[in-house]
Amino acid sequence: MRIILAGFGTVGQALAKVLTQDTKRIVQSYGFQPQVTTIVDSQGSCRDEKGVDLSLALKTKEKHGTIAKYPGSGRRSNDSARMISESDAEVVVETTPTNFKNGEPGLSNIKTALSTRKHVVTTNKGPLALAMPALIELARHRNRQLRFSGTVGGGTPFLDFAAECMPGERIARIKGILNGTTNYILTRMESSSLTFQKALVEAQKKGYAEKDPTNDVEGFDTAAKIVIMANWILAKSFSLRDIDITGISKITPQKLREVQASGAKVKLIGRIDESSASVGPEEIRADDPTCVPGTLNALTFSTEHAGDITLIGPGAGGERTASAIVRDLVSIRKEYAV
Ligand SMILES: NC(=O)c1ccc[n+]([C@@H]2O[C@H](COP(=O)([O-])OP(=O)(O)OC[C@H]3O[C@@H](n4cnc5c(N)ncnc54)[C@H](OP(=O)(O)O)[C@@H]3O)[C@@H](O)[C@H]2O)c1
């Protein structure tokens, strides 16, 4: 399985490490060898049709800050869409930054990959939040797979659970915490009476929040995950503009204390039901299974016959997300002899 890796940051490098460690096990267990033939970052790319040496790629990135310095084939071109279209690799793994304005560069990468009959594994929510129905249609039309396990829940298989473990069951509603950064901030505001700003700075120092935290704290990240689940699990053609979104930046420690006194906690909750979808701070009973602390994520699936089922797990992190990518690669292999 030849792979083009677009994006070589936290997730892309974690994937390279996992593949370096696990390729032998993947070959033995699943009968295929994932081989990265192209890597692209914001400053350049490298290519080796026999397989990029991933340990060398990681060392090069660490030393020079870009894969463009990869010995032999490194170059300053980062035109990922062109490289995808010209390559005969079977799979594109898309890990460029999430962009909710126009989805780029991920949107062009995914469209080009599917149009040139390559399977896609993406951890990038931007293109899905903006154009998921069209991308699913394109994948169907081209008879290729578009997989995105790492976009919701990192390594925790929320999407796979709902799509694959409940055949014959109808999931009517989904609600829960889908963003570890905001959950950490709210937890710290409540437990130590911190202001939103102080808790945010602490989250940034710990590496949980990005330098520009807007997508997390204003609810866009959670909303994108809601869009993905609405389309994938509930077959609703939603995009970001269909979600009613409120963030957590206006919450005060006083409000959290008042709510705590009544046996509840304020959490940033994403929810989808039959006809609507929303993201916003909600008061959740402390004994509700989705009321989890810190960076954890928790989702309750309300099913017609099996009742409410809640899954809890770590929501993000490079290595966990890389594990979701490997799951998707194995699924592609199982479905198609690529
Ligand atoms: N980190 C997580 O835990 C996590 C979990 C789930 C989903 N995700 C999603 O997965 C994606 C990757 O996350 P990340 O944490 O790895 O982000 P990141 O560390 O910022 O890495 C992004 C990578 O994309 C590269 N890039 C930027 N613009 C590019 C362009 N025009 N062409 C080619 N490459 C370009 C960057 O290049 P440089 O290295 O040169 O800057 C970098 O290598 C994001 O969409 C994120 O939302 C992340």
Side-chain angles (χ1 to χ4, degrees):
M1 179 189 277
R2 287 165 301 168
I3 297 167
I4 298 173
L5 176 55
F8 200 44
T10 306
V11 174
Q13 289 177 51
L15 177 67
K17 283 179 199 146
V18 168
L19 290 181
T20 308
Q21 286 162 17
D22 284 6
T23 294
K24 216 165 146 193
R25 187 176 58 78
I26 294 170
V27 173
Q28 278 167 359
S29 305
Y30 304 104
F32 76 103
Q33 180 165 3
Q35 200 168 50
V36 176
T37 53
T38 301
I39 302 179
V40 195
D41 68 17
S42 72
Q43 297 178 62
S45 56
C46 70
R47 180 176 169 186
D48 184 343
E49 286 307 311
K50 292 195 192 85
V52 171
D53 176 339
L54 294 176
S55 302
L56 183 57
L58 287 163
K59 278 190 202 132
T60 305
K61 182 73 177 169
E62 192 184 355
K63 186 163 175 206
H64 301 285
T66 174
I67 199 65
K69 293 278 185 183
Y70 182 82
S73 71
R75 54 198 176 129
R76 282 285 167 193
S77 165
N78 78 338
D79 187 349
S80 38
R82 189 176 55 77
M83 282 178 242
I84 290 168
S85 115
E86 287 174 359
S87 164
D88 57 1
E90 287 85 17
V91 180
V92 171
V93 174
E94 194 356 92
T95 70
T96 63
T98 289
N99 163 356
F100 290 128
K101 290 202 174 77
N102 60 14
E104 297 300 348
L107 185 57
S108 294
N109 286 344
I110 294 175
K111 278 187 185 165
T112 307
L114 294 172
S115 301
T116 54
R117 299 183 58 82
K118 295 172 181 74
H119 304 289
V120 172
V121 176
T122 180
T123 62
N124 178 353
K125 294 169 281 286
L128 300 180
L130 298 174
M132 192 157 174
L135 292 176
I136 288 177
E137 188 50 40
L138 180 58
R140 270 199 202 114
H141 184 61
R142 296 291 172 162
N143 193 23
R144 297 291 95 175
Q145 288 221 350
L146 169 61
R147 300 197 73 102
F148 35 82
S149 300
T151 56
V152 182
T156 309
F158 292 126
L159 292 176
D160 292 346
F161 168 78
E164 286 165 30
C165 297
M166 305 293 288
E169 179 58 274
R170 192 176 77 88
I171 295 173
R173 292 180 306 283
I174 304 172
K175 73 143 205 205
I177 297 171
L178 286 156
N179 182 275
T181 307
T182 44
N183 206 39
Y184 178 83
I185 292 172
L186 290 171
T187 304
R188 292 292 295 134
M189 285 174 72
E190 190 204 70
S191 63
S192 298
S193 240
L194 299 182
T195 60
F196 167 76
Q197 208 52 42
K198 281 204 169 127
L200 170 60
V201 170
E202 188 182 290
Q204 283 169 323
K205 279 191 188 140
K206 285 187 175 273
Y208 298 148
E210 289 175 33
K211 216 158 92 191
D212 177 358
T214 313
N215 284 342
D216 289 329
V217 301
E218 297 306 340
F220 300 120
D221 176 79
T222 301
K225 292 165 179 168
I226 288 289
V227 167
I228 292 167
M229 289 194 297
N231 279 275
W232 189 238
I233 301 170
L234 301 182
K236 296 195 182 302
S237 297
F238 284 176
S239 68
L240 213 48
R241 72 183 79 87
D242 301 308
I243 318 293
D244 188 11
I245 309 169
T246 311
I248 62 158
S249 55
K250 299 212 164 54
I251 308 262
T252 62
Q254 291 87 324
K255 170 75 182 167
L256 296 182
R257 268 199 304 277
E258 281 163 30
V259 173
Q260 192 182 23
S262 70
K265 290 179 192 293
V266 175
K267 296 289 183 187
L268 184 67
I269 299 292
R271 55 169 75 238
I272 324 166
D273 58 28
E274 296 294 324
S275 55
S276 66
S278 65
V279 174
E282 288 187 26
E283 294 178 21
I284 295 285
R285 299 285 317 157
D287 56 5
D288 186 305
T290 55
C291 194
V292 292
T295 57
L296 282 175
N297 284 199
L299 269 190
T300 297
F301 298 90
S302 297
T303 69
E304 193 168 353
H305 305 293
D308 285 359
I309 300 171
T310 301
L311 253 59
I312 298 171
E319 193 177 344
R320 291 166 180 146
T321 308
S323 140
I325 296 174
V326 172
R327 262 193 347 255
D328 283 347
L329 295 175
V330 170
S331 300
I332 288 172
R333 171 64 197 190
K334 278 184 179 164
E335 197 129 331
Y336 291 77
V338 289

